[in-house]
Amino acid sequence: MPPAAPRLIDRDDLVASLDRAAAGKVTVISAPAGSGKTSLLRAWADRPGQPRRLALVQVPRGQQDAQQFWLALLGAVRHAIGTDGSADSGEALPAATPDFDASAMVDRVLSELADAHGGVTLVIDDLHELLSPEAPTQLTRLLTSLPPQTHAILTMRHDVRLRLHRLRLTGELAEIRAADLRFSERETRELLDASGIALSDSGAALLHRRTEGWAAGLRLAALSLVGHPDPERFVAEFSGSDRTVAEYLIAEMLERQPPDVQDLLLRTSLLDRVNGELADLLTGRLSSEQVLLSLEDANAFVESLDPERTWFRYHHLFADLLRLELRRTLPEEVPVLHRRAAGWFTLQGQVAEAVRHTQAAGAWTDAALLLADHAFSMTLDGQAQTMQALVRAFPPGEDRPELALVRAMGDLVQGRLDEAAAHLAVAETYAATTTPERRRRLGVAIASLQLSLARRRGHLAGVVENVRFLDSPVSGQSDEDIALDSDLRAVALMNLGTAEAWSLGLPDAVRHLREGAVLAREIGRPYLEVGCLAQLSFAYIFHGADMPKIDAFATTQRRCREAMELAERYGWGTEPVIAPALMTLVGTMVWLGEFDEGERWLRRTERALRTDTGPDIRLLLHQTAAMLHAGRGRRREALEEFGAAERLASRLEGSWALASQMTGWLLATQARLGLPGEARSALAALDDERAGSGEIHNARAAICLTEGDAEGALGALHDVLGGTAPVLGYVTVVEAHLLAGLAHRELGDQRAANQAAEQALALAESDRLVLPFAMTGSAELLEALPRHQTAHAALLADILDVLHGSSPAAEEQAALPPAEELSPTELRVLRFLPTNLSRPEIASELSVSPNTVSTHLRSIYAKLQVRDRSSAVKRARELRLLAGRRTR
């Protein structure tokens, strides 16, 4: 077994300096490998009376994806403060996603720290290994915004580009450098004495000079000096370049180990991390875990990575030198060992590690096949950046057809649609030449990517051609193949259903999205489940709006909130994946006249779409904003938004579900703004199919009314009211009756006007629609309707309240100080505050812990700028956050 290790010595001055530094915000420990950074941290953390809780994150070697770092940091913080997804915490840790918002994750970490009681210290070890280009910017924001009682300690081999100059100027930044970590001559003597090494004072001074106080060099020397027959001679011969000295010491140490330990160190040195099972595989022997534990106990450059001490890593310098020795002594074994490691990591589902080792073995074709076969799974696990880094690791100039799918995926994510299409064409050609067992899997992947590309381009017609494989069952495949096939099938169902929803391919859209959501749940892909449910919300508003469906908008809102609650559970409440549900929810609120609430949710939707520039979802955002402005009588703003939506629609390759509705509202808004000539010109440019839709008939009627041609308006509405013109939904018919009522009123036929208004109210009754009455400017038409004769008096009163501005007056709202928007969970807690329920009782109602309710209450008080429960209720009522919905 290994020789006794030199024990750690007390470096009280350094520990005291680190303690003083903890009074500020940030401490940076920057020094080369082996300088004693980790030992200093351990001594500081383990000293008696340590009052702070530590949230420790060890950055893995060469970490490319910032998402993995932030998830680890959030988990460490929650573990430190005792809210790490346990049963009483009420909130699970977020899952990895293809769409990652680092800024939102920074906010989550800061929120957790702000809610923590007592001191918390973030410890980020080996920060230099975080290679994501955007990570330093987000980490800088975290560090400069740390709440009181929170301190951060960063260790790194070299400085990371963090912008901490303001902290340095204000004295909130402490820095410990290599010079600070160097052992003094006194500490060198203490280290030798603690290790039981008999060396003269002159010998100790010489060793200190030769190592220049470098901690790793001293420890290497001490390990070799233990039991050495002539320590004075050893120190005298301890010279040469750093590499020569290190290689000499490693050889000295290895030669003193038993043969099986030497063999284990060499064969496992090619791993970034190792456990007992993997070491057994590479050495062909059992009980490797005991050897690793003994090496760590001996401080022999082995350290555990987890509290259970099952995973280990070697000191980076030690590992590098062991690899050199492995290549020198066992060169023919190196590719074999990499192959074995790759096979083990593949079985464990750790594909990135498996691909790296396959590449290291020089098996480039196999590495490409492995990466291509698992590319979708890696993307869904939030490893898109890692996947692209693996692609870049292939030899330059090799345009391997096996990687065409992977390259297409990267192009698609970054919006390079033409390049994605070119790589997909290569992938199709390659798939036709591969083996039958792989051909189907590649075909599934290609079809899914083609669906995604078609959706991004707005090419919605004919996408069904790409999903013929959905009708053929999976058979004759391994469990791994079936799992991957299920991933791809769920992605395809989501894309297909989305495309069908946007082209009104109902009820197929609803069916495919439901199938996709169920499949995603079964295979444990919550991201895909949220995506399907979000798109299902959008599809259902059309599916449910067909007459004579009852309460379609209320049902749609319920579906939107179900999708949003699932997204919130995984931390995706403001991610692009949930944007369709957010947008649909806003749309239903606008249709129901809930303009204030709709505007608040619209702001949240805009935040969710910060990283998505696709023309499809963006044009829906503009159209929804335009509807909101039109409902509030802001016609000029509405026209700008309708115009922006129309321009985005022109970038799509095919028509989309709301095209005729959007164009019709655009023309009507132009006319109502006094621009009937422009509206007429645009109307004349429409193709026959679009011009024949009920929505365009309504627009033509609106133009006629602004021109004083009431008879012409009634003529334009004839086919809509007669049921022969195709319409998007019954809302178009409601609008047609209102336009007819306005035309009859202009002609002096009040009886016909009243009948038209009554018919519009009858159609709007089931969903309590308000928007058509607001957009058409029908206030006077409704006011003339005798209250005692209408069968819809309650709805009529509600509509007139909205049209006359029943919400608090603008000047009253302006007098209130602004309040930050509450999250959906906070709103649910807020609505219990006017009751007599205690915090534990509220927690029981919401199925969360009392601690979670307390956390939300603190956030509510801060956002509403109040100090207690009664003030929060008063403020919420002023902002109409507690206003009940109109009676149905």
Side-chain angles (χ1 to χ4, degrees):
M1 296 306 295
R7 300 201 309 269
L8 293 176
I9 65 170
D10 294 330
R11 307 192 71 187
D12 296 335
D13 292 343
L14 268 178
V15 172
S17 67
L18 189 53
D19 232 343
R20 289 191 297 273
K25 277 187 180 292
V26 179
T27 299
V28 171
I29 306 178
S30 179
S35 298
K37 302 183 291 295
T38 301
S39 298
L40 172 60
L41 278 177
R42 186 178 301 167
W44 176 77
D46 291 345
R47 75 196 193 288
Q50 167 61 270
R52 289 176 176 266
R53 293 168 292 180
L54 301 184
L56 172 63
V57 173
Q58 175 83 44
V59 181
R61 190 173 187 180
Q63 186 164 78
Q64 299 280 345
D65 287 288
Q67 177 171 196
Q68 305 298 322
F69 166 77
W70 286 110
L71 290 174
L73 182 59
L74 179 62
V77 169
R78 289 189 175 179
H79 181 74
I81 64 178
T83 59
D84 52 345
S86 56
D88 61 348
S89 68
E91 186 176 4
L93 280 172
T97 74
D99 301 314
F100 177 65
D101 189 345
S103 180
M105 185 62 76
V106 171
D107 292 337
R108 289 177 70 90
V109 174
L110 289 172
S111 175
E112 296 280 351
L113 291 171
D115 290 339
H117 297 291
V120 176
T121 298
L122 304 181
V123 179
I124 304 176
D125 202 10
D126 286 345
L127 181 59
H128 59 276
E129 296 288 1
L130 184 58
L131 305 181
S132 170
E134 69 272 17
T137 300
Q138 301 299 339
L139 186 57
T140 297
R141 187 164 78 85
L142 174 77
L143 296 173
T144 54
S145 306
L146 289 175
Q149 303 300 314
T150 302
H151 182 68
I153 300 177
L154 318 175
T155 75
M156 58 197 76
R157 290 190 183 183
H158 54 77
D159 286 356
V160 177
R161 292 184 176 274
L162 300 173
R163 299 178 179 233
L164 302 178
H165 52 281
R166 292 185 180 177
L167 295 181
R168 184 178 287 111
L169 290 174
T170 58
E172 295 286 335
L173 174 67
E175 298 173 87
I176 297 176
R177 299 287 178 179
D180 304 310
L181 292 170
R182 287 179 187 140
F183 273 54
S184 66
E185 189 171 330
R186 173 185 60 80
E187 290 172 328
T188 301
R189 177 78 267 176
E190 292 175 358
L191 175 65
L192 294 170
D193 291 343
S195 302
I197 298 172
L199 194 66
S200 66
D201 289 342
S202 60
L206 177 60
L207 181 61
H208 176 260
R209 288 197 302 273
R210 294 286 174 86
T211 61
E212 298 185 27
W214 178 45
L218 286 169
R219 292 180 67 192
L220 280 169
L223 283 169
S224 295
L225 281 166
V226 172
H228 197 285
D230 191 350
E232 300 289 341
R233 178 183 175 185
F234 171 84
V235 172
E237 294 175 352
F238 187 76
S239 63
S241 67
D242 288 347
R243 179 176 177 180
T244 302
V245 171
E247 288 178 343
Y248 173 76
L249 290 174
I250 291 298
E252 282 286 314
M253 190 182 75
L254 283 175
E255 289 176 359
R256 289 173 175 267
Q257 308 300 326
D260 60 330
V261 175
Q262 293 184 40
D263 188 66
L264 182 147
L265 289 170
L266 289 176
R267 290 177 180 273
T268 59
S269 65
L270 49 76
L271 301 165
D272 288 335
R273 58 195 181 102
V274 62
N275 64 9
E277 180 184 339
L278 187 49
D280 287 345
L281 175 67
L282 297 189
T283 61
R285 291 184 298 274
L286 301 178
S287 303
S288 297
E289 184 174 57
Q290 291 304 315
V291 177
L292 292 167
L293 287 168
S294 298
L295 287 168
E296 185 189 27
D297 291 339
N299 289 327
F301 301 99
V302 178
E303 60 184 66
S304 57
L305 296 173
D306 56 333
E308 293 78 18
R309 298 178 72 192
T310 57
W311 281 97
F312 303 85
R313 77 171 179 92
Y314 302 148
H315 185 284
H316 294 323
L317 180 60
F318 184 41
D320 290 341
L321 293 171
L322 285 173
R323 289 166 189 153
L324 287 174
E325 187 72 6
L326 174 66
R327 292 196 295 272
R328 186 182 69 82
T329 59
L330 299 170
E332 70 286 350
E333 290 287 321
V334 173
V336 177
L337 293 170
H338 278 297
R339 284 281 204 173
R340 289 181 187 172
W344 189 90
F345 281 115
T346 300
L347 290 175
Q348 304 303 314
Q350 300 178 41
V351 180
E353 288 292 331
V355 172
R356 289 192 186 100
H357 283 289
T358 307
Q359 291 174 327
W364 298 107
T365 298
D366 290 345
L369 294 174
L370 185 62
L371 182 56
D373 286 350
H374 293 84
F376 265 89
S377 295
M378 292 180 69
T379 300
L380 297 177
D381 286 336
Q383 298 186 66
Q385 294 301 320
T386 296
M387 190 170 63
Q388 295 308 312
L390 291 172
V391 170
R392 292 191 295 271
F394 283 85
E398 287 197 23
D399 192 11
R400 292 178 171 272
E402 303 96 328
L403 292 176
L405 269 177
V406 185
R407 298 186 191 280
M409 219 173 295
D411 291 332
L412 199 58
V413 168
Q414 297 176 31
R416 298 195 297 260
L417 305 187
D418 291 340
E419 291 88 340
H423 280 125
L424 272 177
V426 174
E428 283 188 280
T429 302
Y430 166 72
T433 64
T434 191
T435 58
E437 59 268 21
R438 295 192 70 244
R439 191 172 303 149
R440 173 179 162 74
R441 300 175 70 197
L442 291 175
V444 172
I446 290 168
S448 297
L449 278 179
Q450 286 173 332
L451 277 173
S452 298
L453 180 61
R455 191 184 69 172
R456 292 294 302 269
R457 283 178 159 173
H459 188 204
L460 307 179
V463 293
V464 179
E465 297 175 4
N466 296 312
V467 289
R468 287 191 296 268
F469 62 90
L470 288 176
D471 295 327
S472 57
V474 177
S475 61
Q477 300 187 56
S478 67
D479 291 342
E480 177 193 349
D481 290 339
I482 293 173
L484 177 60
D485 201 57
S486 297
D487 285 343
L488 300 176
R489 183 181 175 88
V491 171
L493 284 166
M494 182 179 69
N495 280 293
L496 176 62
T498 301
E500 289 170 334
W502 279 75
S503 59
L504 286 185
L506 299 169
D508 286 341
V510 172
R511 176 172 61 85
H512 284 137
L513 288 169
R514 283 175 176 165
E515 289 177 4
V518 170
L519 177 59
R521 190 179 310 117
E522 290 174 350
I523 64 177
R525 291 295 189 187
Y527 186 83
L528 290 179
E529 184 182 0
V530 169
C532 288
L533 292 177
Q535 296 289 356
L536 185 60
S537 303
F538 175 74
Y540 195 83
I541 195 171
F542 302 109
H543 183 64
D546 295 335
M547 293 187 296
K549 191 75 175 180
I550 303 300
D551 215 19
F553 284 90
T555 304
T556 299
Q557 285 194 349
R558 186 164 60 252
R559 289 185 174 274
C560 291
R561 294 186 187 278
E562 288 172 359
M564 289 155 51
E565 286 173 5
L566 182 61
E568 287 280 355
R569 193 182 310 166
Y570 290 96
W572 306 326
T574 55
E575 297 287 334
V577 68
I578 197 62
L582 289 170
M583 195 83 67
T584 304
L585 181 64
V586 174
T588 59
M589 289 175 174
V590 174
W591 278 110
L592 300 176
E594 299 169 1
F595 299 139
D596 291 339
E597 187 77 358
E599 192 149 17
R600 279 192 289 271
W601 280 95
L602 186 64
R603 289 196 297 269
R604 175 172 169 178
T605 307
E606 290 169 344
R607 290 200 300 274
L609 287 174
R610 282 177 299 189
T611 59
D612 192 329
T613 58
D616 47 359
I617 198 70
R618 281 280 167 185
L619 73 87
L620 186 58
L621 178 67
H622 284 296
Q623 173 156 324
T624 305
M627 291 163 55
L628 180 62
H629 288 312
R632 287 188 143 162
R634 303 170 184 164
R635 287 174 176 164
R636 190 161 300 280
E637 291 90 340
L639 183 60
E640 291 176 1
E641 294 288 353
F642 280 135
E646 187 90 344
R647 288 190 294 274
L648 286 172
S650 67
R651 292 169 50 187
L652 301 179
E653 295 184 5
S655 61
W656 68 294
L658 305 180
S660 60
Q661 187 181 71
M662 181 179 65
T663 302
W665 283 341
L666 173 64
L667 299 178
T669 305
Q670 284 180 321
R672 289 166 183 150
L673 276 171
L675 304 170
E678 293 185 17
R680 285 283 182 190
S681 298
L683 185 63
L686 296 178
D687 58 65
D688 292 341
E689 182 179 357
R690 179 80 62 88
S693 69
E695 291 72 34
I696 301 303
H697 279 286
N698 284 358
R700 187 177 289 107
I703 296 171
C704 290
L705 286 173
T706 61
E707 293 172 335
D709 182 7
E711 291 284 0
L714 290 174
L717 297 168
H718 180 271
D719 291 345
V720 182
L721 298 176
T724 58
V727 297
L728 183 61
Y730 78 93
V731 293
T732 301
V733 183
V734 173
E735 184 180 288
H737 281 298
L738 292 173
L739 292 169
L742 293 172
H744 287 304
R745 192 165 181 272
E746 285 294 319
L747 294 171
D749 190 345
Q750 190 60 47
R751 181 172 176 275
N754 290 346
Q755 289 177 339
E758 185 71 10
Q759 288 176 305
L761 288 168
L763 287 174
E765 180 72 55
S766 64
D767 283 310
R768 314 289 288 181
L769 287 186
V770 173
L771 184 64
F773 301 87
M775 290 186 73
T776 54
S778 299
E780 293 183 1
L781 176 67
L782 297 181
E783 287 168 347
L785 191 64
R787 301 294 179 94
H788 63 280
Q789 294 181 4
T790 179
H792 311 283
L795 174 60
L796 176 61
D798 281 347
I799 294 173
L800 288 174
D801 280 347
V802 174
L803 298 186
H804 291 310
S806 62
S807 58
E811 59 271 16
E812 179 184 346
Q813 290 283 2
L816 294 172
E820 188 178 346
E821 181 181 350
L822 301 183
S823 71
T825 305
E826 290 165 351
L827 283 171
R828 288 196 291 273
V829 174
L830 175 68
R831 285 162 185 159
F832 282 97
L833 297 191
T835 70
N836 293 323
L837 295 180
S838 65
R839 292 188 183 190
E841 289 170 333
I842 294 174
S844 177
E845 291 289 329
L846 294 174
S847 300
V848 299
S849 70
N851 182 54
T852 299
V853 171
S854 297
T855 299
H856 288 312
L857 285 178
R858 287 194 295 272
S859 178
I860 290 169
Y861 292 168
K863 290 181 178 181
L864 296 183
Q865 304 172 33
V866 298
R867 294 180 179 273
D868 52 42
R869 184 166 176 169
S870 61
S871 300
V873 172
K874 179 181 178 183
R875 171 73 165 141
R877 283 178 173 150
E878 290 171 343
L879 294 171
R880 304 193 75 212
L881 297 178
L882 293 173
R885 292 174 56 83
R886 293 185 299 278
T887 303
R888 293 280 174 123

